[in-house]
Each structure stands twice: as C-alpha cells, then as structure tokens.
Amino acid sequence: LRYEDLLNENEKSISEALELADPDIITGRTRRIKRAIDLSVKRKNLQDYAPGVQVDYFKADLYEDVKKIRARDQEFALLNVHNK
C-alpha cells in the first residue's frame, strides 16, 4: 500500500484526479488496497508472502494531478471572488 492510496476518494480534487488517471494506475491502486485488506484480515505482513520485495511507499502517480486540480480550483475561486 502506498501513501497515495490512503487519500480520501470523496474529496473533489482527488476524485477528479482518479477519473482522469490512466486505467493501469487505478488497477494497481485497487489491487494494493485489496492486498492490504487481505493481509490485515489474515494478520500477516507482505514480507511473509514475498520476502525481499522492495516497495516504494512514497511513489506519487496521482499527486501531481491533484496539485494541478487544486491550483486550478483556487485560481477559479479567486477570479470569481467578485461574484459573492
């Protein structure tokens, strides 16, 4: 499981980034979440099943898109501040 997999899907910018993401990224994210749930239920560690596997926990596939979406939304809000 990666840090990015724990992001709240109900947040607008994250849900939009997931919609725009490559299908391979979504498939990998879903598989990691399912694997984490399975290992948690079994009370096991990934190293018990796959010793020696190197996992990059902080690899960011979606975060750049999330930052761009948030910047776009912030810019849109600033441009429309006079409408309030």
Side-chain angles (χ1 to χ4, degrees), residues 3-10 14 29 62-63 66 70:
Y3 176 75
E4 202 170 61
D5 297 335
L6 301 175
L7 297 175
N8 186 1
E9 294 178 9
N10 296 327
I14 295 171
R29 183 177 193 268
L62 292 175
Y63 195 64
V66 170
R70 286 180 180 166

Side-chain angles (χ1 to χ4, degrees), residues 1-11 14-15 17-19 21-37 59 61-63 66:
L1 197 59
R2 293 181 185 162
Y3 176 75
E4 202 170 61
D5 297 335
L6 301 175
L7 297 175
N8 186 1
E9 294 178 9
N10 296 327
E11 191 174 326
I14 295 171
S15 66
L18 287 171
E19 290 173 8
D22 186 38
D24 293 336
I25 292 173
I26 302 300
T27 302
R29 183 177 193 268
T30 305
R31 288 179 181 173
R32 286 189 300 274
I33 291 171
K34 287 180 180 180
R35 185 183 325 127
I37 291 169
K59 182 178 178 187
D61 293 327
L62 292 175
Y63 195 64
V66 170

Side-chain angles (χ1 to χ4, degrees), residues 3-84:
Y3 176 75
E4 202 170 61
D5 297 335
L6 301 175
L7 297 175
N8 186 1
E9 294 178 9
N10 296 327
E11 191 174 326
K12 183 182 173 228
S13 58
I14 295 171
S15 66
E16 186 176 347
L18 287 171
E19 290 173 8
L20 298 173
D22 186 38
D24 293 336
I25 292 173
I26 302 300
T27 302
R29 183 177 193 268
T30 305
R31 288 179 181 173
R32 286 189 300 274
I33 291 171
K34 287 180 180 180
R35 185 183 325 127
I37 291 169
D38 181 54
L39 291 173
S40 176
V41 168
K42 293 178 181 177
R43 298 195 184 271
K44 296 287 184 178
N45 192 345
L46 179 62
Q47 299 301 323
D48 296 338
Y49 293 99
V53 172
Q54 298 294 324
V55 181
D56 186 10
Y57 297 108
F58 295 105
K59 182 178 178 187
D61 293 327
L62 292 175
Y63 195 64
E64 289 298 320
D65 293 336
V66 170
K67 286 195 319 187
K68 289 177 186 176
I69 291 168
R70 286 180 180 166
R72 182 203 63 201
D73 291 345
Q74 182 180 15
E75 180 180 354
F76 185 74
L78 288 173
L79 290 172
N80 290 317
V81 77
H82 69 280
N83 290 335
K84 290 186 178 183

